[in-house]
Amino acid sequence: MPLPPPFRPRTLLSRALAVPLVLGLSCFLPLVVVSQPGEGPRDAAFWLQLVLTVYCGVRLSAMVLTARRKLLQATFWMFCYMAMGVAPLAQAVLGRVPTPVVGPREDLVQAVSLVLLGCFAFDVGALLARYRPPWRRRAPGEPRPPGRSRPTTGR
């Protein structure tokens, strides 16, 4: 006999991990990185990078805690959190980058803003895809919907 919804092991695990996971990924780890000693400037690029890291941490936590597993979204948010959030934030704090940066610092503000905009756009696209009508196969002998042409076979 299945347990009622509030007492399923997955639900209990999700509730037990929700607050520590969200706080750990979106608050604790970015604060640990920011508190490191370094000579990096604390300008608009730094604060945008911090916002991006926190946003990706919240979205990654939400993805982990959902009941449905979506591999593409989980991969996207993990990549954004680590490669576009935490690692550049650490570079900004230390004031060191592995490759020479050409151009003014304002270019970095635009780049981080575009990445943040891309993350928002990904969220909007995922939200819109949720309400898309489901694709279904036609039963053999069922007529095609009007306006669709017959697929070519290449003969």
Side-chain angles (χ1 to χ4, degrees):
M1 178 174 145
L3 296 172
F7 299 108
R8 282 192 205 141
R10 171 83 178 126
T11 306
L12 290 175
L13 179 65
S14 178
R15 287 180 185 170
L17 289 178
V19 173
L21 184 67
V22 172
L23 288 177
L25 289 178
S26 62
C27 295
F28 181 67
L29 185 59
L31 286 177
V32 166
V33 171
V34 168
S35 66
Q36 299 301 310
E39 61 269 358
R42 302 289 201 262
D43 58 353
F46 169 80
W47 294 110
L48 277 173
Q49 191 66 50
L50 184 61
V51 168
L52 176 66
T53 305
V54 170
Y55 180 72
C56 290
V58 169
R59 292 299 295 136
L60 180 61
S61 301
M63 180 57 50
V64 169
L65 295 171
T66 58
R68 293 186 64 206
R69 297 290 177 235
K70 297 177 184 170
L71 183 61
L72 179 66
Q73 288 184 18
T75 304
F76 176 81
W77 288 116
M78 178 63 84
F79 176 77
C80 286
Y81 182 70
M82 295 306 295
M84 295 184 188
V86 175
L89 183 63
Q91 292 173 355
V93 167
L94 297 175
R96 287 187 259 151
V97 291
T99 58
V101 177
V102 179
R105 183 104 175 133
E106 292 81 30
D107 289 350
L108 189 58
V109 172
Q110 290 179 343
V112 177
S113 299
L114 284 174
V115 171
L116 198 54
L117 182 68
C119 289
F120 289 143
F122 185 85
D123 267 346
V124 169
L127 183 67
L128 292 175
R130 224 187 279 174
Y131 297 107
R132 175 183 59 191
W135 182 79
R136 65 177 192 90
R137 289 187 169 228
R138 290 183 303 115
E142 183 181 345
R144 292 186 182 279
R148 295 214 176 162
S149 63
R150 183 175 211 112
T152 58
T153 59
R155 286 192 253 170

